[in-house]
Amino acid sequence: AEYMGTEDRLGLNCRVIIFVKFCKFQSEFQTMDDNAIVENYKNNGYAVIHLYSDVECDEMRQRMRKIVDDMNEDEHQITMFKTTDDEQVTGQSTYFIESVDKIRFFFEERAFGDDGKLMFERFDALNKVGHALHILDDVYRKYTFDQRIQNIIHKIGFKIPAIPQSMYIFKPPRIGGEVIMHQDATFLHTDPIDGVIGVWLALEDTTTDNGCLQFIPGSHAWPLSRKFNCDRRVQPPKVMFDRPDATNWNRDDLISQPITKGSVILIHPLVVHASLPNLSERSRNIYTFHIIETENTKWLSTNWIAETDNYKFPFIYKN
């Protein structure tokens, strides 16, 4: 196999690929062999692996603080991101939809007072920053296209994987919002449907107190509940669910999955998962991105995030 990093730059009409020889990387932190990880992923719909050091996690957190500190509010819409109902984005929807090749900022709904002003320091008021950190920032690009990620995605069987989006999710103390039960395939559409993997990296310990992920093991065998579609035939483009939520999922079936700093959860697109609000005094910062297969797999036009004439999803490697 030959693996490649990426040197994509905005404004180019093509991908520039740098090939490097595949070399098996054995992380000193890996607590489970690759075969066991793949087996867990296939049986449960998710798998946990410890990949990154405390130093690497701290570098990502420190870099995000710099990105947030440098944010020019005059260049960004005040946009809130909801994770509890059918209205996902409050503010200007084009700010969200057109973020494929940009770094944009989305605030917690509870971060604002009745006067419309932030009640918290900006870093503790944000829901997430996305969706092109993996391309536009050197630190996040380094860890997204890391050999350790390449190895495990190759082991799962992806042939020509690419990355459509990345996000830093803050889950700030006291106001970090609940994420209701959902399937990632609702928001990211491929044909066949299992052509997506979520990579969820804990930059701090995640616990039941600060809102760790929860899963229904084996629910990746269930059908897709609904789709979050984007209609680009109208301007501005309109995002909406294709039908009301009619699932009868039982929250009592959820199993909490606390993980330590530096651990990664691999998430199947159909597994049902959620997280409770963070009412603790500790943040729950994570970095996450999604990987899609491009060989014999179609990225559907209904997706809210899409390639443009000048920007294509960067490959991780090519088998």
Side-chain angles (χ1 to χ4, degrees), residues 59 75 82-83 110 115 127 163 183 185 194 228 290:
E59 182 182 9
E75 297 175 358
K82 296 183 179 181
T83 53
R110 296 171 56 204
D115 58 0
N127 174 284
I163 299 183
Q183 299 162 304
D194 61 354
F228 183 71
H290 285 87

Side-chain angles (χ1 to χ4, degrees), residues 53-240:
S53 69
D54 285 1
V55 171
E56 291 170 320
C57 293
D58 290 344
E59 182 182 9
M60 283 182 263
R61 290 193 73 206
Q62 290 162 8
R63 178 57 188 156
M64 181 50 63
R65 188 168 287 278
K66 180 70 164 59
I67 290 171
V68 171
D69 287 345
D70 290 346
M71 172 193 176
N72 184 343
E73 294 184 4
D74 293 335
E75 297 175 358
H76 296 274
Q77 300 285 336
I78 296 298
T79 305
M80 290 176 283
F81 193 82
K82 296 183 179 181
T83 53
T84 56
D85 57 32
D86 283 1
E87 186 182 5
Q88 289 284 309
V89 181
T90 300
Q92 191 180 68
S93 63
T94 53
Y95 182 81
F96 171 71
I97 294 169
E98 295 176 357
S99 61
V100 62
D101 55 1
K102 301 173 180 67
I103 295 176
R104 290 192 161 165
F105 301 80
F106 304 88
F107 288 87
E108 285 285 350
E109 184 180 8
R110 296 171 56 204
F112 296 87
D114 294 338
D115 58 0
K117 296 181 179 179
L118 282 178
M119 299 189 296
F120 304 90
E121 177 194 356
R122 190 189 294 165
F123 192 85
D124 289 330
L126 284 160
N127 174 284
K128 69 175 183 175
V129 169
H131 292 92
L133 289 165
H134 61 291
I135 286 299
L136 297 181
D137 186 83
D138 290 343
V139 170
Y140 291 100
R141 182 166 59 246
K142 174 176 64 174
Y143 291 120
T144 305
F145 294 90
D146 190 282
Q147 189 74 56
R148 291 164 287 189
I149 296 295
Q150 295 177 359
N151 289 345
I152 193 60
I153 297 304
H154 179 262
K155 193 75 175 180
I156 286 174
F158 276 37
K159 303 298 184 184
I160 310 178
I163 299 183
Q165 64 146 358
S166 56
M167 299 178 287
Y168 190 106
I169 299 178
F170 294 79
K171 201 84 162 181
R174 300 178 297 282
I175 63 167
E178 175 188 5
V179 179
I180 60 174
M181 291 192 289
H182 69 283
Q183 299 162 304
D184 283 357
T186 290
F187 303 97
L188 301 170
H189 317 147
T190 61
D191 183 15
I193 200 169
D194 61 354
V196 183
I197 296 177
V199 179
W200 199 91
L201 165 60
L203 302 179
E204 312 176 85
D205 291 347
T206 75
T207 69
T208 54
D209 291 332
N210 68 0
C212 67
L213 284 186
Q214 302 173 303
F215 293 89
I216 301 180
S219 58
H220 61 306
W222 299 354
L224 180 63
S225 61
R226 57 179 178 164
K227 290 173 65 177
F228 183 71
N229 291 331
C230 182
D231 185 356
R232 290 183 171 82
R233 295 170 299 178
V234 298
Q235 291 299 323
K238 186 177 181 181
V239 289
M240 72 206 88

Side-chain angles (χ1 to χ4, degrees), residues 1-4 19 154 157-161 295 317-319:
E2 286 184 317
Y3 284 75
M4 57 188 166
F19 286 93
H154 179 262
F158 276 37
K159 303 298 184 184
I160 310 178
E295 181 174 277
Y317 62 76
K318 195 170 186 177
N319 191 14

Side-chain angles (χ1 to χ4, degrees), residues 3-21:
Y3 284 75
M4 57 188 166
T6 178
E7 289 296 322
D8 282 17
R9 291 293 183 267
L10 301 184
L12 298 181
N13 291 313
C14 61
R15 292 185 177 98
V16 179
I17 307 299
I18 301 174
F19 286 93
V20 296
K21 290 294 183 181

